[in-house]
């Protein structure tokens, strides 16, 4: 369907060498997008790119640290000058750190905020400057059910994802007039490397299955449809929205 066709579009996905980022990249490629993978680990990044190329997709790599504003700006400007427009940006890079709030290390808090919030601002600003000149662009920020909910030991993560949701609203407010669509996807509990310890915890998995109306962990492939929708002509009048993909966990007490 043409409404969901991404043929001819170039998509930059941060943190895309594994997990949700890799799954979203593959999904966008299946919809026709030319991929630009990003991660800090260049070796792991090339491995992911080669795997996707082996499936017939067109893939570039752009290794830079998303928590470094100057590095993001330099990398994006150089890529656009050499290869052309980045039409879609998915801000997926993120991290987790678990500790009781009263004992949460200050340096861990700062690192988490730089990774989960600052990076969204830095990379979006670098890409949006070009999108604004063209009068078009799609930015998708990866939020979380923790944008709306909290659990013990992850209060700073909850704060960071709440910030991502509100930053998304701010992006839409400032940039919609320039033709940009800025939205967020808020995953629930998905079986990813970031959640490996929780997946392996039988008690937690049992709690999650009871707490989630769908009764299970999410599969990363189940986020792809939302990403394609928000990247495509199907969502031209959707702006500043956070789409929860969570098996119903935020809908149910």
């Amino acid at each position: 369907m043409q409404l969901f066709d991404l043929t001819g579009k170039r998509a930059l996905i941060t943190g895309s060498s594994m997990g949700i980022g890799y799954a979203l990249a593959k999904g966008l490629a299946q919809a026709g997008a030319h991929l630009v993978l990003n991660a800090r680990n260049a070796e792991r990044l090339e491995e992911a790119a080669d795997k996707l190329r082996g499936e017939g997709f067109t893939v570039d790599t752009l290794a830079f640290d998303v928590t470094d504003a100057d590095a993001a700006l330099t990398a994006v400007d150089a890529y656009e000058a050499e290869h052309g427009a980045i039409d879609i940006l998915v801000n997926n890079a993120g991290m987790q750190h678990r500790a009781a709030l009263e004992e949460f290390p200050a340096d861990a808090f700062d690192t988490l905020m730089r990774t989960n919030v600052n990076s969204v601002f830095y990379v979006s600003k670098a890409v949006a400057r070009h999108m604004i000149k063209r009068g078009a662009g799609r930015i998708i920020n990866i939020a979380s059910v923790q944008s709306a909910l909290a659990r013990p030991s992850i209060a700073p993560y909850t704060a960071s994802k709440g910030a991502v949701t509100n930053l998304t609203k701010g992006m839409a407010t400032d940039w919609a007039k320039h033709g940009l669509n800025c939205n967020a996807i808020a995953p629930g509990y998905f079986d990813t490397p970031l959640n490996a310890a929780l997946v392996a915890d039988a008690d937690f998995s049992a709690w999650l299955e009871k707490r989630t109306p769908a009764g299970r962990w999410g599969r990363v492939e189940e986020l792809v449809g939302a990403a394609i929708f928000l990247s495509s002509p199907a969502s031209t009048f959707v702006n500043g929205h956070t789409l929860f993909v969570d098996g119903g966990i935020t809908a149910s007490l």
Side-chain angles (χ1 to χ4, degrees):
M1 294 178 62
Q2 289 185 345
L3 272 179
F4 301 95
D5 185 12
L6 301 180
T7 301
K9 301 297 183 182
R10 209 178 262 107
L12 168 62
I13 307 96
T14 69
S16 49
S17 62
M18 60 190 297
I20 288 175
Y22 181 86
L24 294 181
K26 182 175 179 179
L28 294 179
Q30 289 171 331
H34 176 138
L35 299 180
V36 185
L37 302 186
N38 159 266
R40 287 182 295 186
N41 187 316
E43 182 178 352
R44 187 181 296 166
L45 189 62
E46 289 300 331
E47 289 175 359
D50 287 342
K51 186 176 179 181
L52 289 166
R53 291 181 187 121
E55 298 186 46
F57 303 125
T58 304
V59 185
D60 295 330
T61 58
L62 196 58
F64 65 91
D65 184 351
V66 295
T67 69
D68 183 330
D70 291 336
L73 188 64
T74 298
V76 168
D77 285 352
Y79 184 88
E80 288 244 351
E82 183 175 353
H83 299 284
I86 295 171
D87 306 289
I88 301 160
L89 167 63
V90 181
N91 283 304
N92 168 75
M95 65 166 291
Q96 177 65 284
H97 186 100
R98 293 181 173 87
L101 184 57
E102 67 274 14
E103 298 176 0
F104 206 96
D107 59 344
F109 182 92
D110 292 341
T111 299
L112 190 147
M113 288 296 172
R114 286 199 307 274
T115 304
N116 292 0
V117 183
N118 293 28
S119 69
V120 175
F121 169 64
Y122 296 154
V123 183
S124 295
K125 179 182 175 183
V127 173
R129 290 165 61 252
H130 297 278
M131 291 178 169
I132 288 169
K133 293 175 184 177
R134 292 188 289 268
R138 300 300 178 103
I139 296 176
I140 302 170
N141 301 322
I142 302 303
S144 169
V145 290
Q146 266 74 45
S147 296
L149 303 173
R151 274 189 55 78
S153 81
I154 58 168
Y157 181 85
T158 299
S160 75
K161 291 303 184 177
V164 168
T165 294
N166 272 345
L167 182 55
T168 301
K169 294 177 182 179
M171 288 178 181
T173 301
D174 278 14
W175 294 340
K177 62 179 177 286
H178 298 296
L180 277 62
N181 291 76
C182 306
N183 295 287
I185 297 172
Y189 283 88
F190 279 74
D191 186 352
T192 68
L194 193 66
N195 285 330
L198 295 180
V199 175
D201 185 330
D203 290 339
F204 184 87
S205 287
W207 170 84
L208 180 67
E209 290 166 5
K210 292 179 181 179
R211 175 66 179 82
T212 306
R216 61 176 174 83
W217 287 88
R219 298 183 294 271
V220 290
E221 295 79 11
E222 293 176 298
L223 293 165
V224 168
I228 293 173
F229 168 65
L230 293 175
S231 298
S232 73
S235 59
T236 53
F237 206 56
V238 180
N239 230 325
H241 179 67
T242 297
L243 175 56
F244 284 82
V245 184
D246 64 2
I249 198 168
T250 53
S252 172
L253 288 173

